[in-house]
Amino acid sequence: MEDRELQQWIEQISMDSFGRPFVHQARFNRRLRSTGGRYFTKSHDIEISWMQWETFGRDEIEKIIKHELCHYHLHILKRGYQHRDNDFKTLLAQVGGTRFCRSLPRASQKQSYKYRLECVNCKTEYYRKRKMDVRKYACGKCKGKLKSYTLDLPAPS
């Protein structure tokens, strides 16, 4: 599906489910990972996650579109368009939109931690994703000095 087709589809859903036209821009965003879509209050545009489309298909995207159109129409009408507002919750239930998008499966997640810190005195271990200056910190249990080790990472494939 292309942006042009998405635009037409959103316009159709807007008329069918809300009885009001969608007259702004809609597009896919290939960078969205943790959210299904976005509504922009300044431009009134809508972006939909390409990853959600590829992973879950038409039915899930339609629910996301209805969610974003709830934001859109309520904002245009100057009513409560935020997630916490009763107007939003009521309209979302009426049109059959989803409150939260489904989580994307994580593709071969890398090792979580790159560094292991070890207390010289009590041997307590701490794991970190980022490198840190061990001279500035001490052990949380015994206040001893810390020693840093780099964990072995798998070879890039």
Side-chain angles (χ1 to χ4, degrees):
M1 178 177 278
E2 296 179 10
D3 287 348
R4 172 180 47 80
E5 296 169 295
L6 177 67
Q7 178 76 32
Q8 292 170 348
W9 189 26
I10 289 179
E11 290 171 2
Q12 186 63 46
I13 291 173
S14 182
M15 287 306 294
D16 293 346
S17 296
F18 296 87
R20 301 178 60 83
F22 175 73
V23 294
H24 292 86
Q25 294 297 309
R27 62 190 160 271
F28 280 111
N29 185 332
R30 294 179 185 272
R31 294 183 315 264
L32 293 180
R33 299 260 189 282
S34 62
T35 184
R38 293 194 293 193
Y39 165 66
F40 296 95
T41 56
K42 290 191 192 299
S43 65
H44 304 295
D45 292 347
I46 290 177
E47 288 185 345
I48 301 296
S49 168
W50 178 256
M51 295 294 288
Q52 289 281 332
W53 167 258
E54 279 190 331
T55 307
F56 301 115
R58 190 172 186 86
D59 291 338
E60 191 66 25
I61 291 298
E62 185 169 342
K63 293 175 188 174
I64 293 169
I65 289 170
K66 287 179 179 179
H67 176 105
E68 299 308 326
L69 283 173
C70 284
H71 289 300
Y72 172 80
H73 288 299
L74 289 170
H75 185 251
I76 298 287
L77 295 171
K78 296 182 178 13
R79 293 175 58 200
Y81 65 92
Q82 295 178 340
H83 292 127
R84 65 176 181 255
D85 296 325
N86 284 331
D87 289 337
F88 179 81
K89 292 175 186 176
T90 304
L91 184 59
L92 189 64
Q94 286 174 359
V95 298
T98 183
R99 184 87 194 267
F100 303 102
C101 69
R102 292 170 58 184
S103 295
L104 293 168
R106 298 188 186 257
S108 65
Q109 194 170 6
K110 297 176 188 172
Q111 188 174 2
S112 297
Y113 302 108
K114 291 183 181 179
Y115 303 98
R116 180 175 63 91
L117 307 177
E118 184 179 58
C119 176
V120 175
N121 295 343
C122 68
K123 304 297 183 202
T124 300
E125 293 181 338
Y126 303 94
Y127 292 91
R128 296 289 180 258
K129 292 181 181 184
R130 295 181 184 173
K131 191 172 186 175
M132 56 185 277
D133 187 358
V134 293
R135 295 174 296 177
K136 294 181 179 180
Y137 299 93
C139 175
K141 285 188 174 181
C142 71
K143 308 291 185 230
K145 291 191 178 280
L146 297 173
K147 186 166 181 174
S148 179
Y149 300 94
T150 303
L151 297 175
D152 295 328
L153 297 175
S157 32

PDB file of all heavy atoms in Angstrom, residues 109-128:
ATOM      1  N   GLN A 109      16.817  -9.837  19.184  1.00  0.00           N
ATOM      2  CA  GLN A 109      17.297  -8.770  20.064  1.00  0.00           C
ATOM      3  C   GLN A 109      18.756  -9.011  20.443  1.00  0.00           C
ATOM      4  O   GLN A 109      19.158 -10.117  20.759  1.00  0.00           O
ATOM      5  CB  GLN A 109      16.432  -8.719  21.314  1.00  0.00           C
ATOM      6  CG  GLN A 109      16.639  -7.457  22.108  1.00  0.00           C
ATOM      7  CD  GLN A 109      15.593  -7.346  23.207  1.00  0.00           C
ATOM      8  OE1 GLN A 109      14.820  -8.259  23.424  1.00  0.00           O
ATOM      9  NE2 GLN A 109      15.584  -6.228  23.891  1.00  0.00           N
ATOM     10  N   LYS A 110      19.519  -7.940  20.401  1.00  0.00           N
ATOM     11  CA  LYS A 110      20.934  -8.013  20.761  1.00  0.00           C
ATOM     12  C   LYS A 110      21.070  -8.260  22.258  1.00  0.00           C
ATOM     13  O   LYS A 110      20.127  -8.102  23.015  1.00  0.00           O
ATOM     14  CB  LYS A 110      21.630  -6.705  20.409  1.00  0.00           C
ATOM     15  CG  LYS A 110      21.628  -6.386  18.949  1.00  0.00           C
ATOM     16  CD  LYS A 110      22.252  -5.023  18.743  1.00  0.00           C
ATOM     17  CE  LYS A 110      22.088  -4.590  17.303  1.00  0.00           C
ATOM     18  NZ  LYS A 110      22.509  -3.220  17.097  1.00  0.00           N
ATOM     19  N   GLN A 111      22.278  -8.594  22.669  1.00  0.00           N
ATOM     20  CA  GLN A 111      22.542  -8.767  24.091  1.00  0.00           C
ATOM     21  C   GLN A 111      22.263  -7.444  24.793  1.00  0.00           C
ATOM     22  O   GLN A 111      22.682  -6.383  24.342  1.00  0.00           O
ATOM     23  CB  GLN A 111      23.992  -9.197  24.281  1.00  0.00           C
ATOM     24  CG  GLN A 111      24.315  -9.591  25.696  1.00  0.00           C
ATOM     25  CD  GLN A 111      25.725 -10.146  25.806  1.00  0.00           C
ATOM     26  OE1 GLN A 111      26.455 -10.195  24.827  1.00  0.00           O
ATOM     27  NE2 GLN A 111      26.097 -10.540  27.000  1.00  0.00           N
ATOM     28  N   SER A 112      21.563  -7.505  25.892  1.00  0.00           N
ATOM     29  CA  SER A 112      21.113  -6.294  26.561  1.00  0.00           C
ATOM     30  C   SER A 112      22.246  -5.458  27.132  1.00  0.00           C
ATOM     31  O   SER A 112      22.242  -4.254  27.031  1.00  0.00           O
ATOM     32  CB  SER A 112      20.161  -6.651  27.694  1.00  0.00           C
ATOM     33  OG  SER A 112      19.022  -7.261  27.168  1.00  0.00           O
ATOM     34  N   TYR A 113      23.218  -6.104  27.767  1.00  0.00           N
ATOM     35  CA  TYR A 113      24.246  -5.358  28.477  1.00  0.00           C
ATOM     36  C   TYR A 113      25.604  -5.532  27.810  1.00  0.00           C
ATOM     37  O   TYR A 113      25.970  -6.615  27.385  1.00  0.00           O
ATOM     38  CB  TYR A 113      24.321  -5.828  29.929  1.00  0.00           C
ATOM     39  CG  TYR A 113      23.009  -5.666  30.639  1.00  0.00           C
ATOM     40  CD1 TYR A 113      22.227  -6.763  30.962  1.00  0.00           C
ATOM     41  CD2 TYR A 113      22.543  -4.404  30.967  1.00  0.00           C
ATOM     42  CE1 TYR A 113      21.011  -6.604  31.599  1.00  0.00           C
ATOM     43  CE2 TYR A 113      21.336  -4.230  31.603  1.00  0.00           C
ATOM     44  CZ  TYR A 113      20.578  -5.338  31.916  1.00  0.00           C
ATOM     45  OH  TYR A 113      19.374  -5.172  32.545  1.00  0.00           O
ATOM     46  N   LYS A 114      26.364  -4.447  27.778  1.00  0.00           N
ATOM     47  CA  LYS A 114      27.701  -4.484  27.189  1.00  0.00           C
ATOM     48  C   LYS A 114      28.795  -4.508  28.247  1.00  0.00           C
ATOM     49  O   LYS A 114      29.911  -4.909  27.963  1.00  0.00           O
ATOM     50  CB  LYS A 114      27.920  -3.252  26.303  1.00  0.00           C
ATOM     51  CG  LYS A 114      27.088  -3.235  25.053  1.00  0.00           C
ATOM     52  CD  LYS A 114      27.438  -2.011  24.221  1.00  0.00           C
ATOM     53  CE  LYS A 114      26.597  -1.947  22.977  1.00  0.00           C
ATOM     54  NZ  LYS A 114      26.901  -0.767  22.166  1.00  0.00           N
ATOM     55  N   TYR A 115      28.464  -4.039  29.453  1.00  0.00           N
ATOM     56  CA  TYR A 115      29.481  -3.897  30.491  1.00  0.00           C
ATOM     57  C   TYR A 115      29.031  -4.560  31.788  1.00  0.00           C
ATOM     58  O   TYR A 115      27.869  -4.511  32.155  1.00  0.00           O
ATOM     59  CB  TYR A 115      29.784  -2.416  30.747  1.00  0.00           C
ATOM     60  CG  TYR A 115      30.219  -1.700  29.497  1.00  0.00           C
ATOM     61  CD1 TYR A 115      29.323  -0.951  28.756  1.00  0.00           C
ATOM     62  CD2 TYR A 115      31.528  -1.809  29.027  1.00  0.00           C
ATOM     63  CE1 TYR A 115      29.718  -0.313  27.595  1.00  0.00           C
ATOM     64  CE2 TYR A 115      31.928  -1.177  27.865  1.00  0.00           C
ATOM     65  CZ  TYR A 115      31.012  -0.438  27.156  1.00  0.00           C
ATOM     66  OH  TYR A 115      31.393   0.182  25.997  1.00  0.00           O
ATOM     67  N   ARG A 116      30.005  -5.157  32.459  1.00  0.00           N
ATOM     68  CA  ARG A 116      29.774  -5.736  33.781  1.00  0.00           C
ATOM     69  C   ARG A 116      30.725  -5.042  34.741  1.00  0.00           C
ATOM     70  O   ARG A 116      31.924  -4.956  34.500  1.00  0.00           O
ATOM     71  CB  ARG A 116      30.059  -7.237  33.779  1.00  0.00           C
ATOM     72  CG  ARG A 116      29.844  -7.890  35.136  1.00  0.00           C
ATOM     73  CD  ARG A 116      30.024  -9.396  35.078  1.00  0.00           C
ATOM     74  NE  ARG A 116      31.373  -9.794  34.705  1.00  0.00           N
ATOM     75  CZ  ARG A 116      32.375 -10.026  35.564  1.00  0.00           C
ATOM     76  NH1 ARG A 116      32.167  -9.898  36.857  1.00  0.00           N
ATOM     77  NH2 ARG A 116      33.558 -10.396  35.137  1.00  0.00           N
ATOM     78  N   LEU A 117      30.162  -4.506  35.821  1.00  0.00           N
ATOM     79  CA  LEU A 117      30.969  -3.884  36.856  1.00  0.00           C
ATOM     80  C   LEU A 117      31.002  -4.846  38.033  1.00  0.00           C
ATOM     81  O   LEU A 117      29.992  -5.466  38.372  1.00  0.00           O
ATOM     82  CB  LEU A 117      30.368  -2.553  37.297  1.00  0.00           C
ATOM     83  CG  LEU A 117      30.066  -1.530  36.193  1.00  0.00           C
ATOM     84  CD1 LEU A 117      29.403  -0.303  36.775  1.00  0.00           C
ATOM     85  CD2 LEU A 117      31.319  -1.164  35.443  1.00  0.00           C
ATOM     86  N   GLU A 118      32.165  -4.949  38.669  1.00  0.00           N
ATOM     87  CA  GLU A 118      32.298  -5.853  39.814  1.00  0.00           C
ATOM     88  C   GLU A 118      32.986  -5.114  40.942  1.00  0.00           C
ATOM     89  O   GLU A 118      33.991  -4.424  40.739  1.00  0.00           O
ATOM     90  CB  GLU A 118      33.115  -7.081  39.422  1.00  0.00           C
ATOM     91  CG  GLU A 118      33.223  -8.106  40.527  1.00  0.00           C
ATOM     92  CD  GLU A 118      34.021  -9.324  40.090  1.00  0.00           C
ATOM     93  OE1 GLU A 118      35.190  -9.160  39.697  1.00  0.00           O
ATOM     94  OE2 GLU A 118      33.452 -10.420  40.146  1.00  0.00           O
ATOM     95  N   CYS A 119      32.444  -5.262  42.138  1.00  0.00           N
ATOM     96  CA  CYS A 119      33.045  -4.662  43.325  1.00  0.00           C
ATOM     97  C   CYS A 119      34.288  -5.463  43.688  1.00  0.00           C
ATOM     98  O   CYS A 119      34.242  -6.699  43.752  1.00  0.00           O
ATOM     99  CB  CYS A 119      32.058  -4.656  44.484  1.00  0.00           C
ATOM    100  SG  CYS A 119      32.789  -4.034  46.016  1.00  0.00           S
ATOM    101  N   VAL A 120      35.394  -4.776  43.938  1.00  0.00           N
ATOM    102  CA  VAL A 120      36.650  -5.430  44.290  1.00  0.00           C
ATOM    103  C   VAL A 120      36.541  -6.099  45.660  1.00  0.00           C
ATOM    104  O   VAL A 120      37.095  -7.177  45.876  1.00  0.00           O
ATOM    105  CB  VAL A 120      37.811  -4.402  44.256  1.00  0.00           C
ATOM    106  CG1 VAL A 120      39.103  -5.011  44.724  1.00  0.00           C
ATOM    107  CG2 VAL A 120      37.952  -3.813  42.873  1.00  0.00           C
ATOM    108  N   ASN A 121      35.771  -5.501  46.592  1.00  0.00           N
ATOM    109  CA  ASN A 121      35.651  -6.039  47.958  1.00  0.00           C
ATOM    110  C   ASN A 121      34.652  -7.180  48.068  1.00  0.00           C
ATOM    111  O   ASN A 121      34.996  -8.295  48.440  1.00  0.00           O
ATOM    112  CB  ASN A 121      35.257  -4.938  48.938  1.00  0.00           C
ATOM    113  CG  ASN A 121      36.322  -3.875  49.066  1.00  0.00           C
ATOM    114  OD1 ASN A 121      37.463  -4.091  48.688  1.00  0.00           O
ATOM    115  ND2 ASN A 121      35.934  -2.722  49.584  1.00  0.00           N
ATOM    116  N   CYS A 122      33.362  -6.903  47.774  1.00  0.00           N
ATOM    117  CA  CYS A 122      32.306  -7.887  48.047  1.00  0.00           C
ATOM    118  C   CYS A 122      31.894  -8.700  46.813  1.00  0.00           C
ATOM    119  O   CYS A 122      31.005  -9.534  46.903  1.00  0.00           O
ATOM    120  CB  CYS A 122      31.088  -7.203  48.659  1.00  0.00           C
ATOM    121  SG  CYS A 122      30.216  -6.094  47.542  1.00  0.00           S
ATOM    122  N   LYS A 123      32.470  -8.406  45.666  1.00  0.00           N
ATOM    123  CA  LYS A 123      32.227  -9.133  44.410  1.00  0.00           C
ATOM    124  C   LYS A 123      30.797  -8.986  43.872  1.00  0.00           C
ATOM    125  O   LYS A 123      30.348  -9.796  43.075  1.00  0.00           O
ATOM    126  CB  LYS A 123      32.551 -10.632  44.564  1.00  0.00           C
ATOM    127  CG  LYS A 123      33.957 -10.921  45.029  1.00  0.00           C
ATOM    128  CD  LYS A 123      34.965 -10.438  44.029  1.00  0.00           C
ATOM    129  CE  LYS A 123      36.375 -10.817  44.498  1.00  0.00           C
ATOM    130  NZ  LYS A 123      37.404 -10.004  43.930  1.00  0.00           N
ATOM    131  N   THR A 124      30.063  -7.961  44.314  1.00  0.00           N
ATOM    132  CA  THR A 124      28.732  -7.698  43.772  1.00  0.00           C
ATOM    133  C   THR A 124      28.881  -7.273  42.317  1.00  0.00           C
ATOM    134  O   THR A 124      29.769  -6.491  41.978  1.00  0.00           O
ATOM    135  CB  THR A 124      28.021  -6.589  44.571  1.00  0.00           C
ATOM    136  OG1 THR A 124      27.905  -7.016  45.920  1.00  0.00           O
ATOM    137  CG2 THR A 124      26.647  -6.273  44.015  1.00  0.00           C
ATOM    138  N   GLU A 125      27.991  -7.789  41.459  1.00  0.00           N
ATOM    139  CA  GLU A 125      28.055  -7.462  40.038  1.00  0.00           C
ATOM    140  C   GLU A 125      26.931  -6.509  39.658  1.00  0.00           C
ATOM    141  O   GLU A 125      25.807  -6.621  40.148  1.00  0.00           O
ATOM    142  CB  GLU A 125      27.934  -8.737  39.200  1.00  0.00           C
ATOM    143  CG  GLU A 125      29.121  -9.662  39.344  1.00  0.00           C
ATOM    144  CD  GLU A 125      28.971 -10.903  38.468  1.00  0.00           C
ATOM    145  OE1 GLU A 125      27.829 -11.255  38.099  1.00  0.00           O
ATOM    146  OE2 GLU A 125      29.990 -11.521  38.163  1.00  0.00           O
ATOM    147  N   TYR A 126      27.239  -5.591  38.752  1.00  0.00           N
ATOM    148  CA  TYR A 126      26.283  -4.653  38.187  1.00  0.00           C
ATOM    149  C   TYR A 126      26.440  -4.721  36.676  1.00  0.00           C
ATOM    150  O   TYR A 126      27.563  -4.801  36.166  1.00  0.00           O
ATOM    151  CB  TYR A 126      26.564  -3.221  38.662  1.00  0.00           C
ATOM    152  CG  TYR A 126      26.560  -3.052  40.159  1.00  0.00           C
ATOM    153  CD1 TYR A 126      27.744  -3.126  40.895  1.00  0.00           C
ATOM    154  CD2 TYR A 126      25.374  -2.814  40.841  1.00  0.00           C
ATOM    155  CE1 TYR A 126      27.744  -2.971  42.265  1.00  0.00           C
ATOM    156  CE2 TYR A 126      25.371  -2.655  42.216  1.00  0.00           C
ATOM    157  CZ  TYR A 126      26.565  -2.734  42.923  1.00  0.00           C
ATOM    158  OH  TYR A 126      26.559  -2.578  44.274  1.00  0.00           O
ATOM    159  N   TYR A 127      25.322  -4.676  35.957  1.00  0.00           N
ATOM    160  CA  TYR A 127      25.371  -4.728  34.495  1.00  0.00           C
ATOM    161  C   TYR A 127      24.899  -3.403  33.925  1.00  0.00           C
ATOM    162  O   TYR A 127      23.925  -2.818  34.411  1.00  0.00           O
ATOM    163  CB  TYR A 127      24.503  -5.881  33.989  1.00  0.00           C
ATOM    164  CG  TYR A 127      25.084  -7.218  34.361  1.00  0.00           C
ATOM    165  CD1 TYR A 127      24.724  -7.848  35.546  1.00  0.00           C
ATOM    166  CD2 TYR A 127      26.021  -7.831  33.550  1.00  0.00           C
ATOM    167  CE1 TYR A 127      25.269  -9.064  35.903  1.00  0.00           C
ATOM    168  CE2 TYR A 127      26.582  -9.048  33.893  1.00  0.00           C
ATOM    169  CZ  TYR A 127      26.194  -9.659  35.070  1.00  0.00           C
ATOM    170  OH  TYR A 127      26.750 -10.859  35.412  1.00  0.00           O
ATOM    171  N   ARG A 128      25.584  -2.934  32.898  1.00  0.00           N
ATOM    172  CA  ARG A 128      25.287  -1.646  32.294  1.00  0.00           C
ATOM    173  C   ARG A 128      25.286  -1.752  30.774  1.00  0.00           C
ATOM    174  O   ARG A 128      26.045  -2.523  30.198  1.00  0.00           O
ATOM    175  CB  ARG A 128      26.330  -0.579  32.701  1.00  0.00           C
ATOM    176  CG  ARG A 128      26.352  -0.273  34.187  1.00  0.00           C
ATOM    177  CD  ARG A 128      25.098   0.490  34.579  1.00  0.00           C
ATOM    178  NE  ARG A 128      25.062   0.800  35.987  1.00  0.00           N
ATOM    179  CZ  ARG A 128      24.352   0.137  36.878  1.00  0.00           C
ATOM    180  NH1 ARG A 128      23.657  -0.902  36.510  1.00  0.00           N
ATOM    181  NH2 ARG A 128      24.346   0.493  38.141  1.00  0.00           N
TER     182      ARG A 128
END
